[in-house]
Amino acid sequence: EELDKFLAEIAPKYTPESYSLTTHNCNHYADEIVKFLCDGKGLPSWIVNIADEALSTPQGASLRVMIENMEKQMRASLPGGGGGMNPFGAQGSSGVAPPAAAPAAPPAVDTSELKTALDEVRSSKNETEVQRVCLTMLSKIMQNVEKSPGDVKFKRIKMENAVFQKKIMVAEGGTDAMIAMGWGPDTIDGEDTWVFADDRLAGAGTYRQMIDKRLCELPPLPKAAPAAGRGGYMGGAAPAPMGMPGMGGMGGMPGMGGMGRTDR
């Protein structure tokens, strides 16, 4: 409460008209607040006056003139006397900051190109299982990007990757779907690679949901044919016992039939 009162008291000193990038800026404002909080002990002078001291050197003299002229031009061109360049300008002379603006809505994700590509994947150009395999792979790729947006390994796929070629590139519309979601060709360490654009991260979840929806439209997987009975505990008749070749019944080994007993 005391700090709020103090800020209101010094607010008239920090107005758009009095603000200077070099001699009356946020460092000076912070210095006054620190002095109030620390019983008169403010920031080190080299921090408070760092801009002014730097521009007072022979090398900085010409830069000072350029900055001051630029400051004047900006102040004259902006409404409200230059509040746009003054960090305290929005506070106004009353010392009360205006209500915070509502957060901007996230940019809309353009899905028209992906819709067209997925329509092609789901067309009669591809057999049902080709569609299923392609869509499943696309969904997994985008799921990895969605869950780990900062992990580079999930945003790069080598073009010669055999699994990628077999599951996506062979399907009509598969490559177009990759491009529509923000994947593009590039060369990394001498290898041709698909790279996902970071500016498309906001749409990763939307893309994945669109793919999953198309997956749900597919007919269920065909049931596997039952395995043939193998006898014993697996069902079916047990195979007839097999005798050793040449051992009909309890006969002797081949070439031994009719051998008499050898006295010992």
Side-chain angles (χ1 to χ4, degrees):
E1 187 175 329
E2 292 181 5
L3 179 59
D4 289 339
K5 183 179 178 181
F6 174 73
L7 293 177
E9 290 176 357
I10 66 172
K13 295 171 57 178
Y14 295 93
T15 64
E17 293 75 22
S18 65
Y19 181 76
S20 169
L21 289 170
T22 56
T23 60
H24 195 67
N25 53 46
C26 52
N27 287 353
H28 299 85
Y29 182 71
D31 183 51
E32 288 212 41
I33 296 174
V34 172
K35 286 179 179 177
F36 173 79
L37 296 174
C38 300
D39 298 325
K41 184 177 181 181
L43 297 173
S45 60
W46 67 269
I47 293 179
V48 177
N49 302 313
I50 186 169
D52 188 51
E53 291 181 1
L55 297 176
S56 297
T57 63
Q59 294 85 354
S62 58
L63 186 59
R64 175 191 289 272
V65 175
M66 182 181 69
I67 291 176
E68 290 177 347
N69 288 337
M70 179 184 67
E71 183 181 14
K72 291 177 182 178
Q73 293 174 3
M74 292 178 65
R75 182 177 286 114
S77 63
L78 292 173
M85 63 183 292
N86 179 5
F88 319 114
Q91 185 175 0
S93 58
S94 65
V96 180
V109 178
D110 184 5
T111 59
S112 58
E113 292 185 5
L114 179 58
K115 180 181 181 302
T116 301
L118 293 178
D119 285 343
E120 188 171 6
V121 173
R122 288 280 288 112
S123 71
S124 58
K125 298 177 183 178
N126 298 315
E127 295 181 359
T128 300
E129 293 314 305
V130 173
Q131 297 177 28
R132 193 189 313 278
V133 169
C134 178
L135 293 171
T136 301
M137 187 68 174
L138 289 171
S139 177
K140 181 63 176 177
I141 288 173
M142 295 314 300
Q143 184 182 52
N144 288 337
V145 173
E146 183 183 4
K147 289 185 175 181
S148 305
D151 198 332
V152 175
K153 71 181 179 183
F154 291 130
K155 294 185 288 186
R156 295 180 181 178
I157 302 173
K158 293 180 180 179
M159 290 188 182
E160 63 181 18
N161 183 298
V163 175
F164 177 80
Q165 292 182 358
K166 182 179 179 181
K167 295 187 175 183
I168 293 181
M169 295 189 68
V170 298
E172 292 289 341
T175 301
D176 291 340
M178 291 287 290
I179 295 173
M181 293 187 295
W183 293 85
D186 200 351
T187 302
I188 298 178
D189 297 331
E191 294 184 291
D192 292 334
T193 307
W194 285 99
V195 179
F196 185 75
D198 284 337
D199 60 1
R200 304 292 291 276
L201 282 171
T206 301
Y207 302 146
R208 194 236 340 131
Q209 291 172 8
M210 291 178 64
I211 297 166
D212 289 349
K213 182 178 179 181
R214 295 305 184 95
L215 266 172
C216 292
E217 296 172 355
L218 291 171
L221 283 167
K223 293 183 180 179
R230 297 190 297 174
Y233 294 107
M234 299 301 292
M242 298 176 61
M244 293 291 289
M247 291 180 64
M250 298 294 293
M253 293 291 289
M256 296 178 65
M259 282 187 68
R261 175 179 177 182
T262 304
D263 293 331
R264 298 182 179 178

